[in-house]
Amino acid sequence: MKRRDFVKTAAAGAAVGSVPVLARPARADATDPATRLAATAAPAIHTRATRPVLVADVSSIRFRNGGPESAIERAFRGITEGEDILDACVAGVNIPEHDPEERGIGYGGLPNADGVVQLDSCLMHGPRKWAGGVAGLEGVKTPSLVAKAVAELTDHHLIVGQGAQEFARALGFEIHDDLNTEASRALWLEWRRRVDPDHWLDPEERLRGTGRTGQDAPARMRRFHDAALAAGLSMVDDGLIDPDSFWGTTSLEAVSPDGDICGVTTTSGLSWKIPGRAGDSPILGAGQYVDNDVGAAGSTGRGEANLYNLSCAMIVEFMRQGMSPRDAGMAVLRRVRDNTVEARLQNSRGLPGFDLRFFILNKAGDYAGVAMYGSAESAFAVCDENGAREEPLEGLLEGSPRD
Ligand code: GLY
């Protein structure tokens, strides 16, 4: 069905309270793991008609991996053609996950302190009440597809590290030796050059757990961590890393013509993180939350703030209590601001020294993109019957996190 025709059908359907949805057949014998997984899925569950809307981080509209569609366009097309809503969202984010130019997720995402790309993802299927996630996954370009397999094939909600890779291998996912590109490797080398050698904990020292000066290990770890973050932020200040990529993440939320809601978040996490660090993106309620009766929220930015405040679950709860997507997002941003009391997390104005962005929608198709800091350039992605576009993020605070 062409989008123009779909929009007419959806409008007519909304008037009578139902929209026909076509199920896309999947083949259990397909070689592609995504298609095989779709074949195991239960039939779609339909609720009521609404207007289909997707909201996402800007990488969902700015990256196409050389193809004709961005993530948000691919997902919108799938949803409006009757594909399962979560399958459509995941197929969407697979585009920037594969794109070597996108430095915040998937292949070519910025690596950890040891130069290894470790990926996180989680997703939620509103009508089926499925959830799945992976953390610290190495060697698989599409952590979102592995998270989907966790949701569809197991009763677990989170598989991490080597176990996540073995799970993916068992399902036929291709395991790559290294997900760095030449560019991500070069940026890691530059970051490594900027970390004061006195503060560097080489991997062997970390494994021994003693540090170079024996008793000094905790203090050295603290210095290493602070120096690592400072060197990374200096690269953002020097324009070597896009601020969107430093904590780079893609999160995509969708409400279908049936009023069903799904969301997926995928990331390479904080650049130069301590190996094994998991942020908010694989954690249900922190970097992603969906309630099919209410709405969805997803996030990018400093994941620790979302872990502490369980931000996305909180946004959905505020919407359940009657707040609009915008007001719910702002209420959680205020909470994060008020909980940011340590000086090392604050800028010179005593405000959060980091950004945080939320992409939010409710069951009626109302949506918002809000951020700790708004600026003329900051935007989020939207796709609805009027097409895919960027809209400005509304900031809670003026200026920049680094002021
Ligand atoms: N929000 C992505 C991360 O902190 O890992």
Side-chain angles (χ1 to χ4, degrees):
M1 194 187 302
K2 290 198 178 85
R3 204 181 79 211
R4 195 175 51 241
D5 299 334
F6 161 75
V7 171
K8 279 191 212 147
T9 309
V16 298
S18 73
V19 176
V21 174
L22 308 173
R24 170 180 285 199
R27 290 177 22 240
D29 61 345
T31 50
D32 164 41
T35 310
R36 278 208 317 275
L37 288 169
T40 66
I45 298 165
H46 301 157
T47 50
R48 66 178 176 82
T50 188
R51 88 193 180 97
V53 180
L54 286 77
V55 289
D57 172 70
V58 284
S59 54
S60 291
I61 195 169
R62 292 185 183 168
F63 291 88
R64 293 167 186 267
N65 192 29
E69 292 177 306
S70 64
I72 202 164
E73 291 165 324
R74 166 65 185 84
F76 186 84
R77 178 171 61 78
I79 289 166
T80 53
E81 287 177 355
E83 190 176 10
D84 174 82
I85 177 170
L86 186 61
D87 287 347
C89 291
V90 170
V93 300
N94 289 165
I95 294 170
E97 283 179 331
H98 280 289
D99 193 328
E101 303 296 324
E102 215 292 350
R103 308 229 190 289
I105 68 171
Y107 175 51
L110 295 178
N112 67 18
D114 292 345
V116 177
V117 180
Q118 290 186 323
L119 304 175
D120 302 333
S121 177
C122 78
L123 44 74
M124 296 181 78
H125 193 298
R128 292 185 184 135
K129 303 207 182 293
W130 281 349
V134 288
L137 174 62
E138 296 176 15
V140 180
K141 291 182 176 179
T142 52
S144 61
L145 275 174
V146 186
K148 186 155 103 56
V150 173
E152 287 184 343
L153 304 180
T154 81
D155 291 327
H156 304 328
H157 280 0
L158 180 62
I159 304 182
V160 308
Q162 189 64 28
Q165 192 189 67
E166 291 311 319
F167 176 76
R169 192 193 305 277
L171 288 170
F173 284 87
E174 189 175 357
I175 310 295
H176 300 267
D177 287 340
D178 187 2
L179 293 183
N180 276 291
T181 56
E182 221 172 285
S184 66
R185 172 73 64 190
L187 285 165
W188 175 73
L189 287 170
E190 173 59 21
W191 168 77
R192 180 70 188 80
R193 195 185 66 74
R194 290 178 181 223
V195 180
D196 183 336
D198 270 356
H199 293 161
W200 175 250
L201 276 185
D202 73 43
E204 283 189 17
E205 275 186 80
R206 252 187 280 121
L207 279 179
R208 281 199 303 274
T210 54
R212 230 173 284 168
T213 53
Q215 301 302 315
D216 189 30
R220 277 179 56 75
M221 182 57 78
R222 177 82 252 171
R223 284 202 301 274
F224 164 67
H225 183 59
D226 289 349
L229 192 61
L233 289 172
S234 76
M235 293 176 74
V236 174
D237 291 343
D238 291 349
L240 294 176
I241 305 177
D242 185 325
D244 286 340
S245 301
F246 193 62
W247 277 286
T249 303
T250 283
S251 184
L252 194 156
E253 282 59 55
V255 57
S256 77
D258 302 330
D260 284 335
I261 304 167
C262 288
V264 55
T265 296
T266 177
T267 189
S268 52
L270 170 66
S271 310
W272 334 128
K273 60 195 173 188
I274 291 175
R277 174 265 190 191
D280 57 329
S281 303
I283 306 298
L284 305 172
Q288 174 79 66
Y289 201 71
V290 171
D291 186 313
N292 208 48
D293 293 333
V294 180
S299 183
T300 69
R302 180 173 172 267
E304 282 72 10
N306 285 337
L307 286 167
Y308 190 87
N309 294 282
L310 274 186
S311 306
C312 289
M314 199 60 68
I315 288 171
V316 172
E317 285 313 302
F318 284 154
M319 290 196 289
R320 191 194 308 279
Q321 290 164 20
M323 283 192 195
S324 68
R326 182 237 174 234
D327 290 352
M330 284 295 179
V332 168
L333 286 167
R334 279 193 290 276
R335 183 173 295 201
V336 173
R337 179 198 60 194
D338 296 347
N339 280 335
T340 305
V341 296
E342 280 193 88
R344 67 191 174 84
L345 297 175
Q346 295 176 336
N347 61 17
S348 60
R349 295 180 288 153
L351 295 170
F354 54 85
D355 204 2
L356 206 56
R357 297 173 175 192
F358 295 118
F359 320 108
I360 312 165
L361 49 74
N362 67 17
K363 198 167 178 70
D366 307 318
Y367 64 87
V370 297
M372 187 64 80
Y373 291 91
S375 74
E377 301 88 51
S378 63
F380 69 111
V382 180
C383 193
D384 59 14
E385 68 270 28
N386 298 314
R389 59 194 179 276
E390 293 187 19
E391 293 193 7
L393 280 161
E394 183 177 347
L396 176 70
L397 304 174
E398 303 271 316
S400 139
R402 308 278 291 138
D403 287 347

